[in-house]
Amino acid sequence: GAVVSQHPSWVICKSGTSVKIECRSLDFQATTMFWYRQFPKQSLMLMATSNEGSKATYEQGVEKDKFLINHASLTLSTLTVTSAHPEDSSFYICSAKRDGDTQYFGPGTRLTVL
Amino acid sequence: EDKVVQSPLSLVVHEGDTVTLNCSYEVTNFRSLLWYKQEKKAPTFLFMLTSSGIEKKSGRLSSILDKKELSSILNITATQTGDSAIYLCAPRSGGSNYKLTFGKGTLLTVNP
């Protein structure tokens, strides 16, 4: 158990367009999901915490109007990168919190903005 | 600001060697510490440690937490090429501000 999926696994888009990434917990319900970003050779940086049925909590320096998060159900959270620019190109990873403190990660989405 | 320092940043060993990876942390309201293994994609969970001095073991991997020293180690014995990965430690801050803070990781390369 504890499987988290992400879709798409990779996406290439033009500058100025919006991209939506889905994160699903497949075999458990997750009241809390997290969105991370990882640049090459860097560690995971938490972007926001997504709670089902309420507004996401964003980390300092992360623009909430640019990175829209929706956690509409106990198994789905979405991250929309609005008006994407080349500097938004990165590896975006979601995780879902199951029991206690353990987070289980999705396989990640590689975003490339041309 | 929460801090996590992992050492060494990278390590190259031969198959069969034993390695020890270190993690030291400073987080607000520490609650637990998690270890993950990251290969090409997203991290996979290894251990969660909450109590000092109690070793957690899974096959050739083991880990222990020292709350007094604000540190943890991850040991891998009889390393194999499949152990090559980045190992990340992430202490969790407690209270209502549940959050994992990741270190930069240790890149382990195991050569045949």
mmCIF file of all heavy atoms in Angstrom, chain A residues 17-21 47 66-68 79-85 88 92 111 113:
data_model
loop_
_atom_site.group_PDB
_atom_site.id
_atom_site.type_symbol
_atom_site.label_atom_id
_atom_site.label_comp_id
_atom_site.label_asym_id
_atom_site.label_seq_id
_atom_site.Cartn_x
_atom_site.Cartn_y
_atom_site.Cartn_z
ATOM 1 N N THR A 17 2.093 29.774 -21.078
ATOM 2 C CA THR A 17 0.960 28.852 -20.938
ATOM 3 C C THR A 17 0.883 28.334 -19.511
ATOM 4 O O THR A 17 1.813 28.503 -18.709
ATOM 5 C CB THR A 17 1.085 27.668 -21.901
ATOM 6 O OG1 THR A 17 2.309 26.960 -21.621
ATOM 7 C CG2 THR A 17 1.108 28.138 -23.340
ATOM 8 N N SER A 18 -0.239 27.701 -19.192
ATOM 9 C CA SER A 18 -0.438 27.126 -17.858
ATOM 10 C C SER A 18 -0.380 25.614 -17.949
ATOM 11 O O SER A 18 -0.799 25.017 -18.936
ATOM 12 C CB SER A 18 -1.787 27.559 -17.295
ATOM 13 O OG SER A 18 -1.782 28.948 -17.058
ATOM 14 N N VAL A 19 0.120 25.026 -16.902
ATOM 15 C CA VAL A 19 0.282 23.570 -16.852
ATOM 16 C C VAL A 19 -0.305 23.037 -15.560
ATOM 17 O O VAL A 19 -0.029 23.587 -14.486
ATOM 18 C CB VAL A 19 1.780 23.185 -16.912
ATOM 19 C CG1 VAL A 19 1.959 21.686 -16.727
ATOM 20 C CG2 VAL A 19 2.398 23.649 -18.223
ATOM 21 N N LYS A 20 -1.104 21.984 -15.675
ATOM 22 C CA LYS A 20 -1.708 21.381 -14.475
ATOM 23 C C LYS A 20 -1.075 20.024 -14.235
ATOM 24 O O LYS A 20 -0.961 19.197 -15.143
ATOM 25 C CB LYS A 20 -3.213 21.206 -14.655
ATOM 26 C CG LYS A 20 -3.890 20.604 -13.409
ATOM 27 C CD LYS A 20 -5.348 20.275 -13.647
ATOM 28 C CE LYS A 20 -6.225 21.467 -13.458
ATOM 29 N NZ LYS A 20 -7.668 21.117 -13.472
ATOM 30 N N ILE A 21 -0.707 19.788 -12.983
ATOM 31 C CA ILE A 21 -0.122 18.511 -12.575
ATOM 32 C C ILE A 21 -1.042 17.893 -11.521
ATOM 33 O O ILE A 21 -1.447 18.574 -10.570
ATOM 34 C CB ILE A 21 1.283 18.700 -11.976
ATOM 35 C CG1 ILE A 21 2.210 19.407 -12.981
ATOM 36 C CG2 ILE A 21 1.876 17.359 -11.563
ATOM 37 C CD1 ILE A 21 3.532 19.846 -12.385
ATOM 38 N N MET A 47 7.113 23.574 -1.441
ATOM 39 C CA MET A 47 6.456 24.749 -1.996
ATOM 40 C C MET A 47 5.205 25.089 -1.189
ATOM 41 O O MET A 47 4.969 26.244 -0.839
ATOM 42 C CB MET A 47 6.040 24.506 -3.444
ATOM 43 C CG MET A 47 7.189 24.235 -4.385
ATOM 44 S SD MET A 47 6.590 23.809 -6.021
ATOM 45 C CE MET A 47 5.848 25.356 -6.523
ATOM 46 N N LYS A 66 0.753 32.199 -8.655
ATOM 47 C CA LYS A 66 1.425 31.564 -9.783
ATOM 48 C C LYS A 66 1.292 30.045 -9.691
ATOM 49 O O LYS A 66 1.153 29.359 -10.687
ATOM 50 C CB LYS A 66 2.898 31.944 -9.800
ATOM 51 C CG LYS A 66 3.641 31.325 -10.955
ATOM 52 C CD LYS A 66 5.014 31.917 -11.105
ATOM 53 C CE LYS A 66 5.709 31.278 -12.283
ATOM 54 N NZ LYS A 66 5.022 31.565 -13.553
ATOM 55 N N PHE A 67 1.359 29.540 -8.492
ATOM 56 C CA PHE A 67 1.268 28.095 -8.272
ATOM 57 C C PHE A 67 -0.038 27.813 -7.542
ATOM 58 O O PHE A 67 -0.104 27.854 -6.322
ATOM 59 C CB PHE A 67 2.476 27.604 -7.461
ATOM 60 C CG PHE A 67 3.795 27.828 -8.134
ATOM 61 C CD1 PHE A 67 4.593 28.916 -7.786
ATOM 62 C CD2 PHE A 67 4.231 26.972 -9.129
ATOM 63 C CE1 PHE A 67 5.809 29.131 -8.421
ATOM 64 C CE2 PHE A 67 5.458 27.170 -9.760
ATOM 65 C CZ PHE A 67 6.240 28.255 -9.412
ATOM 66 N N LEU A 68 -1.067 27.517 -8.341
ATOM 67 C CA LEU A 68 -2.396 27.313 -7.781
ATOM 68 C C LEU A 68 -2.561 25.863 -7.345
ATOM 69 O O LEU A 68 -2.297 24.945 -8.120
ATOM 70 C CB LEU A 68 -3.462 27.662 -8.830
ATOM 71 C CG LEU A 68 -3.424 29.091 -9.365
ATOM 72 C CD1 LEU A 68 -4.510 29.282 -10.410
ATOM 73 C CD2 LEU A 68 -3.587 30.111 -8.246
ATOM 74 N N LEU A 79 -1.689 20.858 -8.906
ATOM 75 C CA LEU A 79 -0.832 22.045 -8.921
ATOM 76 C C LEU A 79 -0.891 22.616 -10.327
ATOM 77 O O LEU A 79 -0.599 21.900 -11.290
ATOM 78 C CB LEU A 79 0.607 21.678 -8.562
ATOM 79 C CG LEU A 79 1.667 22.754 -8.811
ATOM 80 C CD1 LEU A 79 1.495 23.921 -7.854
ATOM 81 C CD2 LEU A 79 3.079 22.171 -8.656
ATOM 82 N N THR A 80 -1.292 23.866 -10.450
ATOM 83 C CA THR A 80 -1.301 24.525 -11.745
ATOM 84 C C THR A 80 -0.249 25.613 -11.753
ATOM 85 O O THR A 80 -0.296 26.524 -10.912
ATOM 86 C CB THR A 80 -2.682 25.131 -12.058
ATOM 87 O OG1 THR A 80 -3.666 24.095 -12.017
ATOM 88 C CG2 THR A 80 -2.687 25.790 -13.430
ATOM 89 N N VAL A 81 0.686 25.483 -12.665
ATOM 90 C CA VAL A 81 1.702 26.515 -12.849
ATOM 91 C C VAL A 81 1.156 27.474 -13.886
ATOM 92 O O VAL A 81 0.998 27.114 -15.061
ATOM 93 C CB VAL A 81 3.038 25.911 -13.319
ATOM 94 C CG1 VAL A 81 4.107 26.995 -13.427
ATOM 95 C CG2 VAL A 81 3.502 24.809 -12.373
ATOM 96 N N THR A 82 0.813 28.671 -13.469
ATOM 97 C CA THR A 82 0.196 29.621 -14.389
ATOM 98 C C THR A 82 1.263 30.486 -15.054
ATOM 99 O O THR A 82 2.287 30.810 -14.451
ATOM 100 C CB THR A 82 -0.795 30.528 -13.653
ATOM 101 O OG1 THR A 82 -0.078 31.286 -12.667
ATOM 102 C CG2 THR A 82 -1.876 29.724 -12.960
ATOM 103 N N SER A 83 0.998 30.821 -16.318
ATOM 104 C CA SER A 83 1.913 31.664 -17.088
ATOM 105 C C SER A 83 3.364 31.218 -16.868
ATOM 106 O O SER A 83 4.207 31.974 -16.381
ATOM 107 C CB SER A 83 1.736 33.129 -16.683
ATOM 108 O OG SER A 83 2.497 33.966 -17.530
ATOM 109 N N ALA A 84 3.598 29.987 -17.234
ATOM 110 C CA ALA A 84 4.914 29.395 -16.966
ATOM 111 C C ALA A 84 6.008 30.096 -17.759
ATOM 112 O O ALA A 84 5.805 30.534 -18.894
ATOM 113 C CB ALA A 84 4.876 27.908 -17.309
ATOM 114 N N HIS A 85 7.174 30.195 -17.137
ATOM 115 C CA HIS A 85 8.344 30.776 -17.780
ATOM 116 C C HIS A 85 9.502 29.791 -17.669
ATOM 117 O O HIS A 85 9.469 28.873 -16.843
ATOM 118 C CB HIS A 85 8.702 32.116 -17.121
ATOM 119 C CG HIS A 85 7.707 33.183 -17.416
ATOM 120 N ND1 HIS A 85 7.645 33.816 -18.640
ATOM 121 C CD2 HIS A 85 6.706 33.706 -16.670
ATOM 122 C CE1 HIS A 85 6.664 34.699 -18.625
ATOM 123 N NE2 HIS A 85 6.077 34.653 -17.447
ATOM 124 N N ASP A 88 10.683 28.393 -14.454
ATOM 125 C CA ASP A 88 9.821 27.454 -13.719
ATOM 126 C C ASP A 88 10.140 26.004 -14.073
ATOM 127 O O ASP A 88 9.592 25.080 -13.459
ATOM 128 C CB ASP A 88 8.345 27.730 -14.033
ATOM 129 C CG ASP A 88 7.906 29.110 -13.588
ATOM 130 O OD1 ASP A 88 8.379 29.573 -12.521
ATOM 131 O OD2 ASP A 88 7.105 29.744 -14.315
ATOM 132 N N TYR A 92 8.851 18.602 -10.347
ATOM 133 C CA TYR A 92 7.834 18.852 -9.325
ATOM 134 C C TYR A 92 7.379 17.510 -8.758
ATOM 135 O O TYR A 92 7.004 16.598 -9.501
ATOM 136 C CB TYR A 92 6.648 19.619 -9.922
ATOM 137 C CG TYR A 92 7.003 21.035 -10.291
ATOM 138 C CD1 TYR A 92 7.571 21.331 -11.531
ATOM 139 C CD2 TYR A 92 6.800 22.088 -9.392
ATOM 140 C CE1 TYR A 92 7.930 22.633 -11.855
ATOM 141 C CE2 TYR A 92 7.142 23.386 -9.721
ATOM 142 C CZ TYR A 92 7.711 23.647 -10.952
ATOM 143 O OH TYR A 92 8.065 24.936 -11.273
ATOM 144 N N LEU A 111 8.936 19.328 -15.685
ATOM 145 C CA LEU A 111 8.368 20.429 -16.466
ATOM 146 C C LEU A 111 9.486 21.170 -17.178
ATOM 147 O O LEU A 111 10.453 21.603 -16.543
ATOM 148 C CB LEU A 111 7.607 21.400 -15.565
ATOM 149 C CG LEU A 111 7.145 22.714 -16.211
ATOM 150 C CD1 LEU A 111 6.143 22.449 -17.326
ATOM 151 C CD2 LEU A 111 6.535 23.647 -15.167
ATOM 152 N N VAL A 113 9.845 24.421 -19.726
ATOM 153 C CA VAL A 113 9.166 25.566 -20.341
ATOM 154 C C VAL A 113 10.097 26.178 -21.376
ATOM 155 O O VAL A 113 11.213 26.581 -21.051
ATOM 156 C CB VAL A 113 8.770 26.611 -19.285
ATOM 157 C CG1 VAL A 113 7.968 27.735 -19.941
ATOM 158 C CG2 VAL A 113 7.978 25.981 -18.153
#
